[in-house]
Amino acid sequence: MRGQIEVIGRAGIGVDNVDIPAATAKGIIVMNTPYGNSITTAEHAIALTFALARQIPQADVSTQAGKWEKNRFMGVEITGKVLGIIGCGNIGAIVAERAIGLHMRVIAFDPYLSPERALDLGVEKVSLDALLGRADFISLHTPLTPQTKNILSAENLAKTKKGVRIVNCARAAWSMKKPCAHNLIAAM
């Protein structure tokens, strides 16, 4: 039938933003491409890590305001820094590979990551608390599940190193209520 939706295709891994029961009731097929944008997402996470390390967003705002505050935005090098990856599946593994190539030390929290796979990837498998306490940068790469929703709660953010930089290219949400956001910014 002309004009009737037959398929909903979702680029990426998640379909949590599609009402699957409603689509099924109308005979609409829902599908995704779980590996379709893995490299793109991983490279985006690395790009955001560079942007945070070099304070590019803040420097851009300053420059757009007509200022040239070169000494204010020196940033940090990522070489030798600890990258904590929360969720070391397909995308997290690609991020780990790229980060190791940049001479970062990579630690990972993922309950499904086997010790053998961690060894193959060249990452150290750690607990969430250990990752929070050791990471200079944290990169999230988890699906949105009841276990990962708000994985970076105010309580967990309080366990992070002072000045930690966080990249979220995942479907997992994390708590950024106003007091939490204020405390995170104040800690940086």
Side-chain angles (χ1 to χ4, degrees):
M1 293 186 184
R2 189 174 209 149
Q4 183 178 3
I5 297 173
E6 295 179 16
V7 176
I8 296 174
R10 168 74 178 84
I13 198 160
V15 291
D16 56 310
N17 57 351
V18 177
D19 187 342
I20 294 174
T24 302
K26 294 182 185 251
I28 300 170
I29 298 167
V30 177
M31 62 176 66
N32 65 348
T33 57
Y35 303 106
N37 60 0
S38 299
I39 291 173
T40 300
T41 303
E43 288 179 355
H44 184 61
I46 292 294
L48 291 172
T49 301
F50 274 116
L52 289 175
R54 305 310 291 172
Q55 300 178 354
I56 291 173
Q58 299 91 331
D60 179 60
V61 169
S62 173
T63 303
Q64 294 292 333
K67 302 174 187 174
W68 181 250
E69 302 173 292
K70 182 179 174 183
N71 292 335
R72 184 173 168 215
F73 301 111
M74 296 300 290
V76 298
E77 293 181 350
I78 64 171
T79 298
K81 296 293 188 284
V82 176
L83 173 64
I85 297 176
I86 298 176
C88 203
N90 186 43
I91 295 169
I94 297 168
V95 171
E97 178 184 278
R98 302 299 195 267
I100 290 167
L102 294 166
H103 303 284
M104 296 184 84
R105 293 176 290 150
V106 181
I107 59 177
F109 167 73
D110 187 324
Y112 303 105
L113 179 65
S114 71
E116 297 80 19
R117 178 71 173 142
L119 185 63
D120 287 346
L121 292 173
V123 306
E124 179 187 350
K125 182 177 177 169
V126 298
S127 68
L128 180 58
D129 282 348
L131 183 145
L132 295 171
R134 290 175 49 194
D136 299 301
F137 293 86
I138 296 174
S139 193
L140 281 90
H141 301 284
T142 60
L144 181 58
T145 67
Q147 294 78 26
T148 62
K149 186 176 182 184
N150 296 322
I151 196 163
L152 290 183
S153 62
E155 178 184 340
N156 281 341
L157 287 172
K159 298 174 185 176
T160 61
K161 287 173 74 169
K162 182 173 174 54
V164 67
R165 292 161 173 88
I166 300 170
V167 171
N168 184 8
C169 288
R171 299 191 63 75
W174 56 293
S175 176
M176 275 304 278
K177 297 174 186 164
K178 195 168 189 169
C180 181
H182 173 70
N183 291 341
L184 180 62
I185 293 165
M188 293 182 149

